[in-house]
Amino acid sequence: MNLADVLSLFSLPFMQRAVIGGVLLGILGGILGSFLILRRLSLFGDTVGHSAMLGVVLAALLELPSTWTLIGFTVAFGLGVIYLIDRTDLGSDTVLCISLSGSIALGTIGFSYLKGYRGNLLSILFGDILAISNTDLILLSLLLAVTLAWIIISLPEQILLTLNSDLAIVKGVPVRGHRYFFIVLLAITIALTIRAVGILLVNGFLVIPAASARLICQQFVPFLVTAAGIGATSGVMGMVISGAIDLPSGPSIVLVQLFGFLAVALWCRQV
Amino acid sequence: MYQNLSVPQPIVTVRNLSVMRGEYLAVDNVSFELLPGTHTAIIGPNGAGKSTLIKSILGLVEARSGEIKLFNTGKQLKRLKPEIGYIPQKFPFERTFPLTVSELVGLGLNSKQWWYSSKGQRERIYQALEQVHLTKQAPQKIGTLSGGELKRVLLAYCLVVPRRLLVLDEALAGVDATGEMEFAALLDNLKQEHNWTILEVSHDLDLVSRYCDSVICMNRRLLYQGSPQTTLTPENLLHIYGSLISPTCHHHEPSRRTESF
């Protein structure tokens, strides 16, 4: 495919929506993923992502709108898991594994009860960023606006509770409220990201850009900006590469993130 | 110490405080008062409920019964928190945490938009670091600090806004003997300068006898309370620890050896 073909491909509305979606998802994943990895919640993102299978099956069984059902399910599931972690003496990894296994088991059983064509449900495993709609873009823009407002209003409090929750409580930070609100933002982001890249790759969007930024940044605000920048750049580059050499879009974006991380890791070792 | 003719009002009043940790009664009916400008150490064996007691005062752990009154007001703890500085026993974080020393100190400011920090705020951060002799480390990542330096940075975090009460939970755990001495001397100087009231959990009886005005000895219940001279007697230590020599008793100067207690 020559340059003219690539340019004509990106003049198509669905490709433009996919690129904008990739950028918005990359920025959101970079920002929320920064807190996710510092709070050691990487496994949490994976668990909520995989539980989405149950959410999709429920939406299909009950004939509910898929986007809103998935958002509602991931938020409820995420809050439920955090509540269990807070209320039990079990380790968080144990609670997460139990929740993951339970949701996958229920999702698989529910899946077997579905009648008729089930191929579109399988797409939840891999997602389809090319199918991103204008409604999805509006939702992503709103979510990004809320996330940025949340950061601007409470960044020092978020950093303090990430660093040491006791210190934050003594300073008067509403730690529990902030934690639960973060989980809500994260769960909605996961729900919307899954539609684009699938449950198998959703955690890459959250973890890889933030991990790369963490290797090169000394200060917190540059760390957040870098993670968001890497997420956005990966979104554009992944889409261009997938369009130019006809590769699946979501995995192409994650591969760009991965190669970026490897380059940063090697560069840091040399410095 | 108490030259004022009028009776000073206590900064902290604890009455009949009991705190559970799970099924275990960690603090049993403890009462005491801290007067302004005093430095009080809580001592006792491991599992005596010392950390639980101060966590309860700070609102980190819920009390089962009893009363805690701060700054002699009926105000809720939430409103009084900006006046309390706290240095926890453990401060675990990954060494790659992207935060510099000056950013950590800046988190102590009562500002929500600290990254737009004004010249005034930057000056306050610098002054706080100057008081703990760490201005050179300001741009360093916190993961590059030694244990003693990190504790001094946390002290600067407390210094960056005016405090009335400083609570330290074994703040010197994991710090070497030299670092301990430097920190204790620095803390004492700052206490005089800022007229802080200090409540700390300590295992170092040598430093306690040197710098503290009063000692609270506990083993779930309050055992002894008073000046170091009257509380840290051989008989009391035997009762508290079951041995005359506390396993964590450091000797910083030959002339102040704890065997003299």
Side-chain angles (χ1 to χ4, degrees), chain A residues 38 40 152-153 155-157 159-160 162-164 166-167 169-172 214 217-221 223, chain B residues 60 81 86 88 90-91 94 96-100 103-104 107-115 141 157:
Chain A
L38 291 176
R40 300 179 188 191
I152 289 167
I153 290 168
L155 183 58
E157 295 184 345
I159 298 171
L160 194 59
T162 304
L163 188 63
N164 189 290
D166 279 358
L167 222 54
I169 292 169
V170 172
K171 195 169 187 282
R214 185 172 170 172
C217 294
Q218 306 284 317
Q219 294 177 294
F220 205 92
V221 175
F223 163 63
Chain B
L60 295 169
K81 281 182 170 175
Y86 171 53
K90 291 176 186 163
F91 198 78
E94 289 185 23
T96 55
F97 198 102
L99 198 71
T100 63
E103 282 182 309
L104 172 53
L107 291 176
L109 291 165
N110 293 320
S111 164
K112 286 185 182 266
Q113 281 81 35
W114 62 276
W115 69 98
K141 234 179 185 178
Y157 166 90

Side-chain angles (χ1 to χ4, degrees), chain B:
Chain B
M1 167 138 291
Y2 310 118
Q3 296 99 333
N4 292 345
L5 291 174
S6 59
V7 178
Q9 296 299 313
I11 289 285
V12 178
T13 305
V14 173
R15 285 199 197 103
N16 308 114
L17 185 72
S18 294
V19 187
M20 303 290 292
R21 295 309 293 263
E23 300 295 310
Y24 176 75
L25 184 61
V27 176
D28 184 6
N29 200 31
V30 168
S31 301
F32 64 88
E33 286 184 344
L34 301 183
L35 293 173
T38 56
H39 186 164
T40 303
I42 304 173
I43 66 161
N46 291 332
K50 307 181 295 292
S51 292
T52 304
L53 172 61
I54 62 166
K55 283 184 175 176
S56 180
I57 292 170
L58 293 168
L60 295 169
V61 172
E62 208 170 308
R64 189 183 73 164
S65 60
E67 185 190 2
I68 299 163
K69 200 171 174 183
L70 294 178
F71 308 129
N72 201 38
T73 69
K75 285 183 186 172
Q76 285 185 319
L77 176 62
K78 192 179 171 184
R79 294 178 178 276
L80 303 170
K81 281 182 170 175
E83 298 182 74
I84 304 170
Y86 171 53
I87 300 183
Q89 179 183 8
K90 291 176 186 163
F91 198 78
F93 63 89
E94 289 185 23
R95 298 191 80 78
T96 55
F97 198 102
L99 198 71
T100 63
V101 167
S102 57
E103 282 182 309
L104 172 53
V105 175
L107 291 176
L109 291 165
N110 293 320
S111 164
K112 286 185 182 266
Q113 281 81 35
W114 62 276
W115 69 98
Y116 299 131
S117 52
S118 64
K119 193 181 169 194
Q121 285 174 328
R122 284 200 301 273
E123 274 175 11
R124 280 163 74 184
I125 293 169
Y126 182 83
Q127 283 165 3
L129 283 170
E130 202 171 32
Q131 289 183 74
V132 299
H133 317 303
L134 283 174
T135 48
K136 279 184 186 168
Q137 283 83 350
Q140 277 182 223
K141 234 179 185 178
I142 56 171
T144 62
L145 298 173
S146 69
E149 285 174 334
L150 181 64
K151 292 299 162 80
R152 277 155 58 200
V153 170
L154 290 174
L155 196 53
Y157 166 90
C158 296
L159 272 164
V160 79
V161 291
R163 316 275 187 185
R164 290 165 73 188
L165 173 65
L166 203 62
V167 180
L168 298 90
D169 186 0
E170 289 189 52
L172 296 173
V175 178
D176 62 30
T178 312
E180 275 191 2
M181 279 297 293
E182 285 174 3
F183 186 90
L186 180 66
L187 184 65
D188 195 54
N189 283 338
L190 292 171
K191 174 193 164 258
Q192 311 294 342
E193 195 179 323
H194 297 275
N195 195 32
W196 282 336
T197 303
I198 299 177
L199 176 65
E200 70 167 318
V201 171
S202 180
H203 278 298
D204 194 319
L205 302 185
D206 192 22
L207 291 177
V208 168
S209 63
R210 184 181 306 200
Y211 291 113
C212 294
D213 308 300
S214 66
V215 182
I216 292 167
C217 310
M218 67 179 289
N219 193 353
R220 292 198 290 160
R221 298 181 73 90
L222 188 72
L223 300 176
Y224 308 102
Q225 186 178 4
S227 69
Q229 290 73 27
T230 57
T231 50
L232 301 180
T233 61
E235 297 77 21
N236 289 354
L237 290 176
L238 186 62
H239 181 204
I240 299 162
Y241 292 104
S243 156
L244 264 180
I245 301 171
S246 162
T248 49
C249 186
H250 300 159
H251 309 303
H252 301 287
E253 272 184 25
S255 60
R256 302 297 298 258
R257 289 170 74 89
T258 40
E259 282 83 345
S260 62
F261 287 138

Side-chain angles (χ1 to χ4, degrees), chain A residues 29-42 147 150-151 154-155 157-162 182 186 206 210 220 223-224, chain B residues 97:
Chain A
I31 293 172
L32 294 175
S34 298
F35 291 101
L36 185 87
I37 64 167
L38 291 176
R39 293 178 188 178
R40 300 179 188 191
L41 287 170
S42 300
T147 303
W150 167 74
I151 297 256
S154 67
L155 183 58
E157 295 184 345
Q158 300 300 334
I159 298 171
L160 194 59
L161 80 90
T162 304
F182 172 67
L186 190 65
L206 294 167
F220 205 92
F223 163 63
L224 276 184
Chain B
F97 198 102

Side-chain angles (χ1 to χ4, degrees), chain A residues 67-68 71 134-144 192:
Chain A
T67 302
W68 294 107
I71 288 173
N134 283 330
T135 309
D136 291 329
L137 290 184
I138 291 168
L139 282 175
L140 280 171
S141 304
L142 283 174
L143 186 59
L144 182 59
L192 294 176

